[in-house]
Each structure stands twice: as structure tokens, then as C-alpha cells.
Amino acid sequence: MKVLFLNPPFITGDLFMKEVGRCGRRSVAGELWPQTGLAYLAAVALRAGCEARIVDAMASRMNLSELIDYTREFAPDLVVANSTTPTFRNDSEAMEALRKTHPAVYAFTGPHVSALPEESLRESGMDLVFINEAEMTLRQVLRKWKDWADIPGLAFRGGSGIVITSQCPAMSILDDLPLPARHLLPNASYTMPFFENEPFATVIPSRGCPWQCTFCRAGKVWGTKVRIREPRNVIEEIRDIRNNLGIRNVVFMTDSLTLDRRWAEAFFDLLIAEPPGFRWICNSRVDAVTPEMLLRMKKAGCILASYGVESANQAILDRAKKKTTPAQAREAIRWTRDAGILSMAYFILGLPGETKGTIEETIQFAREIDPDYVNFHVATPFPGTELYDLALENGWLTTRDWSAFEEEGSAVLSTETLSAEELVAAQKRAMRSFYIRPGRVWKEFRKIRTMGQFKARIKAAWHMVFTLNRRKSP
């Protein structure tokens, strides 16, 4: 059996950062996420004896016409595409174009279709949806081809309509998964400014998120129970990336890297013992780091830590169930700076309770704590989040056009205190207020040590200016 795993091209040529367990957003600085989730699925298909290929059309700059020719030539039996909310309509159109030229079973995976499996099938015309964690479900689909009624974790078209099977239990031991089939990916195309546009890989040390933030669906695909791989298992994957792909840069794709401090310290110690030159980036929480841990992270090769600060207003944080404080954010940024690690702070404008006054409070707080980098998102009610349910209940949605559901694009919320247009304007103002100031520009240029770093920052700045100027509300 032949299986094609696909990240479809965006018809307009725009770039989106997509990963199976994440929300997905437009690329701000020209970076692209490696399709590690698809590489996991491809590894499962290879282990099952299938011929598997991955086409990341965004990374390869493959247009739809070229993709149609490629698919016709490969002639897969199953096509599985990774789709997110803002790309869902585009991905559906691309898959339908493939279907018209090559008969096969067409399927979606990802957070959007996991949240809305039945609606996704109706809107896209696809045959199959993988709900939540897909590896175990895919394995059974390949074994019981087209006999899917008893396979957990699926939505498909049956004889009498759409069938949604029972929930598939999450894998309890992630170490049993094969390593992602990265040899099928265009690895040289995955770059970001933080690594001077050198290739990087993403590694997933754990799955699941125990927090219940109203705006996030991190636990939608992989559940709320945290499952962590053994430290040595992750090290073996890193060695594979370095030795077989020649890549020395990694982004750890997990919200829980520092959640279990005993695990984190053991893992960092193993990294310290590895050959020098390895660099990595991670997400963390402002309440999940200490000065001592950050110093150990620095020694282990960490160059940047990202934090979801979200707001400077405690009432908004509490309503969003963030369970952190601005004081913790201030400390985490300071400790990160003291450890010699770059910091990235993410903020969200437009969460319930937001006003023009609280937006200005957050903008000023960002300038005050002065992380190395920030990104201000417009609050986006992605399906599967509590915020989405609140938006429906209160009539806050301005559109059901999924392509408008962008953290880095148009606003789709209009509340009693702020319109969508005001949120987009606030986002632009916040980004400009932080980045376009003399001290800030000078600080950034002082970090430049090589021509590669200079080129990476110029490229990132150009992409950011372009993205800011194109944002608008629907």
C-alpha cells in the first residue's frame, strides 16, 4: 500500500507554521515548522510495510499543479493531510483538486478536525478524519483497510452517513513510537532567524498539557494527561538528528519541558554530557522555571526560552484560567536574562475582560519587563477551546470563515468592549511600540556577531513589516 502524507500548498503562496498538535499560524519571520507530526505517521506506515512519502509543499515551494502531477505519478492509496483552522479551507480545496485527478482515500489530521470531526467532513468532502492522537489509529486503518467501524479515533463516511467511532486512548508509553521518518522531509528548508537561518528540527519530548487555559487547545489532540519520554530516548533522537541529518539546532515542541523538574534536570545533565555545538529553544511557563534551572539549561545549550505571559492584568489572567501572575512573568524574564538565555514573551490582546485600558497596560508591561522578543496575538477562539464556546454563547464571532481565524492575521472577535477592527489596530500598535524604538533597534544590532546573524535579522524584520501591514479584520 502507498501512503502520501501531505502539508498542502497555500494557494496564495503564503507560509503557515503548522504542526499536528498545535494551532497553526501565519509565519511572521519567514520561518517554517518541520512536519514532525507527519513524520511520526510516516514512520508508523513504514513499520507497517507501506511505501510512504511526505510532501511538505510549503517548505518545498511546490504549487498545486506540481502537487497534482506528483500525486498522479506516485498513485497513493491513502492521502493524509495536516490541517489547522486558518488553513482548513485552503487545504480542503487542495485535497479536492487532488481527488479530481487521482482516486484514493483522502484524510485529515490535526487540531481543527479533532475539534470538529463531523463538521470538517461535511465542509471538506473528505473520506476520513483522524481524531486526536493518530499513530495508533493509523496503524489499525492500514491493517483493516476500509473496515473501520470498530477502529477508535475516526470519523468517516459510512453507508448511512457520517460515522464517529469511540475515542482512541492516548498512548501511555511514548518510547514505543518509532523515531519520526525525517529522511522523508525537506530538512534544509526548515530555518528560523534564531538559528541564523540554519536548518533545525523539532523534537517532542512529551505530549499532553495539564493546564486549562480558555484560549488554548494544546490538550485537544494529545490530551490533558502529560506523558513524558525517558530522557535517554530523547537523547537518542537528538543523536540521530545530528549524526544522520547534520542538524545541530532543535526546538522542543512541548508545553511541559520544565514541568517535571526531576525529569528536566536529568535530561539537561545528559545534554551537557553530549558533544558541544548543540543549540535548542523551548517553551516554558513563567511559574515553571527557577534561576538554578535556567543556568543548567544555558549550560545544556539553550539559547532561547519562550513564555506565555498573555496579559499584564491579573483579572484577565484569572478569567482565562492561566494560573500565573504578572509578578511571576517579571521574575522569569529577569532570571532568563541573568542566565544568558534569550527570552520570548507571548501576549494575547482581546481575551474576555479586555478593554482599551488593559491593552495599554499590557503594552507598557511588555516594554517594562523588556524580553528580547515579543509577539502580540489577537485572541482567536479556535474550535475546541473554552473561548470558542464563550464566543458562540455571547455572539462575539464576526465570521465563521475559518481562514480568518489567525493569531497572526485578522480578528474574529467583537465584544461589548472592543471591536475586531480595534483589536487589529491594537496588535499593530503593540508590535510597533515594542520594536520600533531607538534603544530596541540598537539592542538588537548589538547581538549581531556574524554575517549570517545580520542576514537572518534583516530577513525577519522584512517579513514582520510585511505581515503587520497586511493584517486586517474580516
Side-chain angles (χ1 to χ4, degrees):
M1 180 181 293
K2 295 181 178 181
V3 186
L4 176 62
F5 297 94
L6 175 64
N7 182 22
F10 207 76
I11 305 302
T12 62
D14 290 349
L15 301 179
F16 279 78
M17 298 166 63
K18 298 164 63 178
E19 180 49 88
V20 167
R22 314 295 291 188
C23 290
R25 60 181 175 87
R26 190 181 298 271
S27 175
V28 175
E31 70 273 39
L32 279 174
W33 291 120
Q35 292 298 297
T36 305
L38 291 183
Y40 265 115
L41 296 178
V44 170
L46 290 171
R47 181 178 280 186
C50 299
E51 181 180 352
R53 296 185 188 180
I54 302 174
V55 170
D56 186 344
M58 283 195 188
S60 302
R61 305 301 196 270
M62 180 185 288
N63 62 38
L64 184 57
S65 177
E66 293 168 333
L67 178 60
I68 289 172
D69 291 341
Y70 180 94
T71 304
R72 187 186 295 116
E73 179 182 352
F74 179 46
D77 301 286
L78 172 63
V79 180
V80 181
N82 174 22
S83 188
T84 63
T85 301
T87 66
F88 178 73
R89 187 173 69 176
N90 172 88
D91 299 338
S92 298
E93 292 173 358
M95 292 281 272
E96 187 59 34
L98 295 182
R99 181 202 291 278
K100 290 179 180 178
T101 59
H102 174 71
V105 172
Y106 287 85
F108 274 138
T109 185
H112 181 82
V113 298
S114 291
L116 300 173
E118 182 173 353
E119 186 172 340
S120 297
L121 282 178
R122 294 190 190 282
E123 291 183 355
S124 67
M126 295 299 99
D127 303 299
L128 192 65
V129 159
F130 290 92
I131 303 173
N132 301 332
E133 203 167 70
E135 286 91 353
M136 293 176 65
T137 303
L138 174 65
R139 184 184 308 160
Q140 294 187 64
V141 165
L142 297 174
R143 288 176 180 171
K144 302 173 65 176
W145 186 239
K146 295 188 178 181
D147 182 17
W148 301 328
D150 297 327
I151 299 177
L154 284 179
F156 63 92
R157 297 181 184 279
S160 58
I162 292 176
V163 176
I164 299 179
T165 66
S166 61
Q167 183 175 348
C168 182
M171 289 192 66
S172 57
I173 304 177
L174 298 180
D175 294 346
D176 291 342
L177 284 170
L179 290 181
R182 290 190 175 88
H183 64 286
L184 301 178
L185 292 171
N187 294 290
S189 298
Y190 303 122
T191 64
M192 67 163 56
F194 297 126
F195 295 127
E196 295 90 48
N197 289 328
E198 288 185 17
F200 75 100
T202 52
V203 172
I204 306 172
S206 64
R207 296 184 180 185
C209 182
W211 294 286
Q212 304 295 318
C213 303
T214 61
F215 54 84
C216 184
R217 60 182 179 191
K220 188 62 184 179
V221 173
W222 288 337
T224 57
K225 181 180 179 181
V226 178
R227 294 154 291 142
I228 309 178
R229 296 163 58 187
E230 287 296 323
R232 291 192 180 279
N233 182 265
V234 183
I235 293 294
E236 286 303 315
E237 182 176 358
I238 291 169
R239 289 173 178 168
D240 179 73
I241 291 168
R242 292 187 70 169
N243 298 335
N244 295 326
L245 299 179
I247 294 175
R248 67 181 183 126
N249 308 303
V250 160
V251 175
F252 290 117
M253 295 288 288
T254 176
D255 298 292
S256 309
L257 188 70
T258 58
L259 174 63
D260 185 329
R261 294 189 181 182
R262 185 179 303 175
W263 182 95
E265 289 171 359
F267 178 58
F268 298 152
D269 287 344
L270 289 175
L271 283 178
I272 291 169
E274 289 294 296
F278 175 67
R279 304 183 297 179
W280 54 276
I281 288 171
C282 71
N283 294 327
S284 188
R285 281 175 55 97
V286 298
D287 60 350
V289 292
T290 64
E292 296 76 21
M293 176 181 288
L294 287 161
L295 288 171
R296 185 173 283 176
M297 290 166 61
K298 172 66 175 179
K299 190 175 180 181
C302 180
I303 64 169
L304 183 142
S306 298
Y307 302 99
V309 178
E310 323 309 359
S311 177
N313 184 275
Q314 189 62 57
I316 291 175
L317 292 173
D318 292 344
R319 193 167 174 181
K321 301 180 181 178
K322 181 68 181 181
K323 296 185 178 180
T324 60
T325 68
Q328 290 172 325
R330 187 190 306 275
E331 282 190 329
I333 297 298
R334 177 168 55 84
W335 292 342
T336 304
R337 182 186 301 114
D338 291 346
I341 298 173
L342 298 174
S343 59
M344 164 74 87
Y346 290 98
F347 296 91
I348 301 176
L349 305 179
L351 290 170
E354 192 84 271
T355 65
K356 292 180 181 179
T358 59
I359 285 177
E360 292 308 315
E361 182 183 349
T362 294
I363 292 173
Q364 292 306 313
F365 182 72
R367 290 167 60 107
E368 181 185 336
I369 64 175
D370 199 30
D372 292 280
Y373 304 98
V374 300
N375 203 345
F376 289 89
H377 294 156
V378 168
T380 304
F382 291 108
T385 66
E386 186 176 331
L387 181 59
Y388 179 74
D389 296 335
L390 282 171
L392 289 179
E393 179 182 330
N394 291 281
W396 293 341
L397 284 182
T398 62
T399 182
R400 289 294 296 273
D401 177 3
W402 301 126
S403 62
F405 282 60
E406 290 188 47
E407 293 173 302
E408 299 300 330
S410 52
V412 298
L413 281 180
S414 187
T415 69
E416 60 272 11
T417 55
L418 291 164
S419 68
E421 291 78 12
E422 287 172 325
L423 285 174
V424 172
Q427 184 183 39
K428 291 181 179 180
R429 186 172 68 256
M431 293 291 282
R432 288 168 178 158
S433 173
F434 185 86
Y435 283 109
I436 305 177
R437 44 187 171 133
R440 176 71 225 177
V441 174
W442 174 240
K443 179 180 178 180
E444 192 62 26
F445 272 94
R446 285 178 60 191
K447 299 175 186 174
I448 296 175
R449 297 290 184 270
T450 67
M451 181 57 67
Q453 292 174 345
F454 176 77
K455 291 179 179 178
R457 280 164 172 77
I458 292 297
K459 180 180 178 182
W462 186 91
H463 276 283
M464 184 175 294
V465 169
F466 175 79
T467 303
L468 279 171
N469 287 334
R470 72 170 296 282
R471 287 172 176 156
K472 61 182 181 179
S473 59

